[in-house]
Amino acid sequence: MTARHAIAAVGLAASAQAAEITLSPCDLSAAGGRLEVDAQCGTLTVPRDPRDPDGKAIDLFVAVVDALAEQGAPDPLVVIAGGPGQAATSFYVTAEAAFARVVRKRDIVLVDQRGTGQSAPLMCEGGEDDLFLESGNIDRMIDASRECLEGLAHDPRFFTTSVAVRDLDRVRDALGYAELNLYGISYGTRVAQHYMRRYPDRTRRVILDGVLPPAVALGADVPLASQAALDALFDRCAADAACRQAFPDLRSRFDAVLARLRETPAEVTLDHPRTGDATDVVVDHWMLIGVVRLLVYQPQTASLLPFLIDVVDRGDYSALATQVFLLTEGLEGLSVGLNNAVVCTEDVPFQGDVDLDAQAATYMGTTFVEVLERTCELWPRGLMDDDLRELVTSDKPVLMLSGELDPITPPHYAQRAAASLTNVVDVVAPAQGHGMLMTTCGQRLAAEFLDIDVASALDRSCVDRIRPAPIFTSRMGPGP
């Protein structure tokens, strides 16, 4: 434990809030315990309703991964997860290697956003994401959302971005840091931008990975951006001799498979990839849509799609069903309650008139947006700052990382967010998807950005060396 942590632990940090966090050694884990990270962990008690400091309280789970250097930098990097609904601690464990350069010099601070992980989680027995993979039954999804809301332990109105940034600053204060560097991915970029707006004097530098502009409503653009990423994959396969030979007419074959499964679902029995138990699965078009939607997020997983479409078209549905189990495992721990609390307060009420004809022309169709709208008819709107959706005006150094083929936060989002920022380094990684920090180049840029004196002098030459992930042409992998 560093000296400043010890000061915070005994409550001597200079603070009008008199906050205290006692940190002790702990193991952070993810992926069913298969991944672990050593850290210092503790909790900070905060008001559930920030307007009522003497009312009910909740505990925020906080973890600090100490810098490796004996005398590290005084300003840590706070890692803010996406979703909304992913816990920062579990995200960090799965992405630990991506922060290896940063942690050499800086502490990593992780705060499970209220409603996620171990911070008063708004968890549900079932989730829309699981159902999105398994069924297109909208009524079933809405019933699950209603049951989720009725079973929550906390009022979701107090679990929003506007409250979360105040929590984060309480943690900063309790740990004794004067300034924070922020890394946010996806929805986490909204949190990072709003913290920079609300606490400019306590923000040193900001890294936004998969940028969500304040005025953009999550959800309405998803089918369109995802279709664009899928079309780019089809175009790439058609232009590549090996892929074109292995999977001719891939685009039309995908459309045919989608139509066939919509008309006639298939039944398969396979061994569950985790338990080994024989499991009966109904494979329908919605399962294919859900798998494609998640696989196009990253170039490494998108490279599997041509082969997967081919085997499904040939009548082998087991590979598709297996992907459902694997992808669902990756969604475990996502707080659906927090997701709904945020989206139904900050997004759906502001999405305006959705072009349903454009949505219907995508492989995802209109169901995704319909589910969001109907879900938010049930969920209460929570606390939201009046300026949350306004562009942030700042001269703080900001590094924006985007993937050219990002199916959820496309590169033009970053350009919109940068409109009122005067010290921006905007990087677009060719042929990459959601989350550039997963690339070696992104990791190098992030670490150097935190240390370099002049942000605009950042050496971005590694971006030119990024190459697409090779497409699988068989079960053995890419061709020669």
Side-chain angles (χ1 to χ4, degrees), residues 244-371:
R244 185 174 63 248
Q245 180 178 0
F247 313 119
D249 303 318
L250 187 63
R251 191 189 311 265
S252 60
R253 291 174 67 195
F254 172 73
D255 293 339
V257 168
L258 198 58
R260 188 168 76 231
L261 288 176
R262 180 180 289 110
E263 185 69 24
T264 309
E267 296 184 7
V268 298
T269 301
L270 71 158
D271 293 336
H272 194 288
R274 282 175 291 170
T275 67
D277 298 335
T279 306
D280 296 327
V281 179
V282 176
V283 178
D284 61 8
H285 72 289
W286 202 246
M287 179 181 287
L288 178 60
I289 289 171
V291 168
V292 170
R293 174 199 166 203
L294 295 180
L295 288 185
V296 295
Y297 265 60
Q298 298 294 337
Q300 294 81 4
T301 53
S303 68
L304 301 172
L305 271 173
F307 174 74
L308 182 63
I309 293 168
D310 179 71
V311 296
V312 172
D313 186 36
R314 297 176 186 276
D316 180 0
Y317 300 105
S318 59
L320 178 60
T322 299
Q323 282 296 324
V324 170
F325 289 119
L326 297 176
L327 291 169
T328 301
E329 181 182 52
L331 293 171
E332 290 178 357
L334 185 74
S335 172
V336 175
L338 188 278
N339 183 285
N340 291 347
V342 170
V343 171
C344 294
T345 296
E346 304 168 12
D347 296 291
V348 171
F350 303 97
Q351 65 184 10
D353 295 329
V354 178
D355 188 344
L356 293 179
D357 290 338
Q359 303 261 346
T362 69
Y363 79 93
M364 287 179 63
T366 62
T367 301
F368 183 81
V369 172
E370 291 176 40
V371 169

Side-chain angles (χ1 to χ4, degrees), residues 80-88 91 113 116 184-189 334 338 434:
I80 308 171
Q86 188 175 23
F91 168 74
Q113 182 173 331
T116 73
I185 183 168
S186 196
Y187 160 72
T189 67
L334 185 74
L338 188 278
H434 192 57

Side-chain angles (χ1 to χ4, degrees), residues 22 34 54 63 71 75 87 129 141 155 157 172 192 208 222 246 260 276 308 417:
T22 300
R34 295 192 297 274
D54 297 322
Q71 295 294 327
D75 41 86
D129 280 289
M141 294 182 185
D155 188 334
R157 294 177 300 161
R172 177 206 60 78
L208 305 177
V222 170
R260 188 168 76 231
L308 182 63

Side-chain angles (χ1 to χ4, degrees), residues 197-264:
R197 181 208 318 277
R198 192 61 64 236
Y199 304 102
D201 294 339
R202 300 161 195 173
T203 303
R204 178 177 174 270
R205 295 195 173 188
V206 178
I207 302 170
L208 305 177
D209 193 3
V211 186
L212 180 64
V216 169
L218 270 174
D221 287 348
V222 170
L224 305 178
S226 189
Q227 182 67 55
L230 182 61
D231 287 340
L233 177 66
F234 288 152
D235 290 343
R236 184 179 160 214
C237 184
D240 180 86
C243 188
R244 185 174 63 248
Q245 180 178 0
F247 313 119
D249 303 318
L250 187 63
R251 191 189 311 265
S252 60
R253 291 174 67 195
F254 172 73
D255 293 339
V257 168
L258 198 58
R260 188 168 76 231
L261 288 176
R262 180 180 289 110
E263 185 69 24
T264 309

